[in-house]
Amino acid sequence: MFDPKEYDSWYDRHREIFEAEVKALRSLIEKYPDPKLEIGVGTGRFSQALGITYGIDPDQGMLELARKRGIDVIRGIGENLPYKDESFYAVLISTTLPFLRDAKKVVEEAHRVLVNNGGLVIGFIPRNSHFGRKYTRIGEEGDERFKNAHFYTMEEVESLLEDLFFIVRVRSTLLGEDISLNVVDGYREDASFVAIEGVKIQNV
């Protein structure tokens, strides 16, 4: 779907955007001890920046770049994680939601592999944001990368977490049509990147 080197170079060309996204995520995930897992680790950019040791992704080319960044990676899918119950203190899913076959199942699997009171952090591009509208339009025009992508609304993400995680904090960045790089607490409707922290609900 994505060429690994082309995908990876996007972050070099848009470093300030990447750094704003990392800033939004960092305060949500850094409080959790190791080990941590990223589902949809891709080339390992976020894991490397956030100190996440383990990653899983279906794309072998992506994983080769992630491995070079020092991430302990496995080829696989989020709907069927090859890890034991309660293996991690935190799980990250960043910019991956639109491409998951079964997002609810992935969230359920994240819940399974997290310890009690472990944290799930999701970074996503809201459907109605500047970038969400842009990528949706590109997909509708036939771009193979986004043709089958589903960009989520805030309400849809909250629904994915329902009964599995307590949402304890939300942060927003890439604000407005001019893409302000400020990071603010809470959900902003004009944000092109939103980070949500959920704490695992026990005995589900």
Side-chain angles (χ1 to χ4, degrees), residues 59-110:
D59 190 306
Q60 186 62 43
M62 296 279 194
L63 291 179
E64 290 173 6
L65 293 178
R67 192 173 288 114
K68 290 178 181 178
R69 291 194 162 98
I71 315 302
D72 187 340
V73 296
I74 292 177
R75 187 177 187 184
I77 59 173
E79 291 88 348
N80 185 24
L81 295 176
Y83 304 103
K84 295 179 180 178
D85 295 359
E86 300 186 12
S87 295
F88 299 98
Y89 287 95
V91 171
L92 173 68
I93 303 172
S94 186
T95 69
T96 301
L97 274 183
F99 310 103
L100 298 175
R101 286 184 292 181
D102 187 341
K104 186 65 173 182
K105 178 61 176 175
V106 174
V107 171
E108 291 171 351
E109 278 288 272

Side-chain angles (χ1 to χ4, degrees), residues 31-45:
K31 70 183 101 175
Y32 296 98
D34 295 328
K36 304 170 189 175
L37 168 71
E38 182 177 4
I39 298 173
V41 67
T43 62
R45 286 271 184 170

Side-chain angles (χ1 to χ4, degrees), residues 89-204:
Y89 287 95
V91 171
L92 173 68
I93 303 172
S94 186
T95 69
T96 301
L97 274 183
F99 310 103
L100 298 175
R101 286 184 292 181
D102 187 341
K104 186 65 173 182
K105 178 61 176 175
V106 174
V107 171
E108 291 171 351
E109 278 288 272
H111 184 276
R112 179 182 66 79
V113 302
L114 280 168
V115 301
N116 287 333
N117 297 314
L120 172 63
V121 176
I122 297 179
F124 72 103
I125 300 169
R127 182 191 307 161
N128 296 322
S129 68
H130 174 82
F131 281 133
R133 295 193 305 271
K134 174 183 176 181
Y135 293 141
T136 298
R137 183 179 68 254
I138 290 173
E140 290 171 348
E141 292 171 353
D143 189 295
E144 288 296 326
R145 297 168 300 174
F146 299 103
K147 186 168 63 174
N148 297 313
H150 173 76
F151 289 88
Y152 285 75
T153 65
M154 180 67 173
E155 292 75 19
E156 286 176 328
V157 176
E158 289 173 332
S159 179
L160 290 175
L161 301 185
E162 190 174 11
D163 298 327
L164 297 171
F165 293 90
F166 290 115
I167 296 175
V168 295
R169 195 172 177 195
V170 178
R171 306 194 84 200
S172 300
T173 189
L174 310 185
L175 308 173
E177 296 298 317
D178 60 344
I179 314 300
S180 167
L181 301 175
N182 290 334
V183 179
V184 299
D185 284 323
Y187 170 62
R188 283 269 299 264
E189 290 187 358
D190 63 342
S192 279
F193 188 82
V194 174
I196 297 179
E197 176 191 357
V199 173
K200 177 177 175 176
I201 299 174
Q202 301 179 31
N203 302 321
V204 173

Side-chain angles (χ1 to χ4, degrees), residues 22-33:
V22 168
K23 184 178 180 181
L25 295 165
R26 179 174 284 120
S27 66
L28 306 186
I29 203 165
E30 65 182 357
K31 70 183 101 175
Y32 296 98

